[in-house]
Amino acid sequence: EAQVTQNPRYLITVTGKKLTVTCSQNMNHEYMSWYRQDPGLGLRQIYYSMNVEVTDKGDVPEGYKVSRKEKRNFPLILESPSPNQTSLYFCASSLSGRGGEQFFGPGTRLTVL
Amino acid sequence: SQQGEEDPQALSIQEGENATMNCSYKTSINNLQWYRQNSGRGLVHLILIRSNEREKHSGRLRVTLDTSKKSSSLLITASRAADTASYFCATDESNTGKLIFGQGTTLQVKP
């Protein structure tokens, strides 16, 4: 089944404790992206990747890192999480980065205490 | 950056009625897409309409696009309780292909 998977689905952590949210897609998509969703602010893009080893900042990249060593994986790293990073995170992928249909993962609900 | 803005923010209707949601955007686009999100879950792609198209249908969905007014509408006909969800429009920046999502319309369909 074609899908985007994220892990973990739920995470409660404390300020400053490094964490990684994994994202994997099995559709051989070139484009992958991370979003955060907050009430009243909608979906905001954190980072995106047009292909392996090619990543770029989205609208709200501060406090996050990403890597794209393999086509299928695009982990989101929070080196030193802070409470303002409490949010619902979505990974998405599409065939190319040219505005086509995006496939979303189920989301990761992160709480930073 | 905010591109699409949906209207209304919330809509409540009875099962069987039609639901219309509108989206306005600011810059030139290659296409406009609509997504649905059930509470707390990932977004699901519904339909894509290209800038050279004016209307598109998919099952009970009808999307229109007016590039001169920079607006789009999503019509859901004969709504069902299962249509209860948030609906987002997304536009792509024509020079980068980046998708920008609106704030969404929350639709409640009462049985």
Side-chain angles (χ1 to χ4, degrees), chain B residues 20-97:
Chain B
T20 300
M21 290 159 259
N22 303 296
C23 169
S24 61
Y25 58 92
K26 296 173 185 169
T27 63
S28 61
I29 61 172
N30 292 318
N31 66 62
L32 185 144
Q33 304 175 40
W34 285 90
Y35 288 79
R36 183 186 74 222
Q37 182 183 32
N38 290 88
S39 180
R41 299 192 177 185
L43 279 72
V44 175
H45 182 263
L46 294 175
I47 196 165
L48 180 154
I49 185 165
R50 301 197 184 283
S51 60
N52 60 355
E53 297 175 308
R54 292 296 166 259
E55 188 170 314
K56 201 162 183 179
H57 297 253
S58 177
R60 294 184 296 112
L61 305 181
R62 173 178 167 251
V63 169
T64 62
L65 179 65
D66 187 335
T67 53
S68 66
K69 294 180 180 178
K70 291 186 168 58
S71 67
S72 173
S73 67
L74 171 67
L75 168 67
I76 303 174
T77 60
S79 64
R80 305 167 182 168
D83 294 328
T84 294
S86 292
Y87 293 83
F88 296 85
C89 69
T91 52
D92 72 318
E93 293 182 334
S94 59
N95 57 338
T96 67

Side-chain angles (χ1 to χ4, degrees), chain A residues 35 37 40-43 45 58-59 88 90 97-102 104-106 109, chain B residues 1-2 31 33 35 37 40-43 45 48 88 92 95-99 101 103:
Chain A
Y35 298 90
Q37 186 177 32
L41 297 175
L43 239 70
Q45 190 180 52
D59 298 316
L88 180 57
F90 290 103
R98 291 300 164 194
E101 173 187 353
Q102 290 196 9
F104 280 77
R109 189 168 292 281
Chain B
S1 56
Q2 193 68 39
N31 66 62
Q33 304 175 40
Y35 288 79
Q37 182 183 32
R41 299 192 177 185
L43 279 72
H45 182 263
L48 180 154
F88 296 85
D92 72 318
N95 57 338
T96 67
K98 173 183 170 181
L99 271 189
F101 289 82
Q103 297 267 8

Side-chain angles (χ1 to χ4, degrees), chain A residues 36-70:
Chain A
R36 61 178 288 175
Q37 186 177 32
D38 303 287
L41 297 175
L43 239 70
R44 294 179 293 168
Q45 190 180 52
I46 302 170
Y47 268 95
Y48 65 97
S49 169
M50 298 290 279
N51 213 325
V52 176
E53 300 292 1
V54 180
T55 63
D56 211 342
K57 296 177 181 179
D59 298 316
V60 288
E62 296 78 20
Y64 304 94
K65 283 175 57 177
V66 292
S67 68
R68 187 95 182 270
K69 293 185 170 56
E70 307 165 282

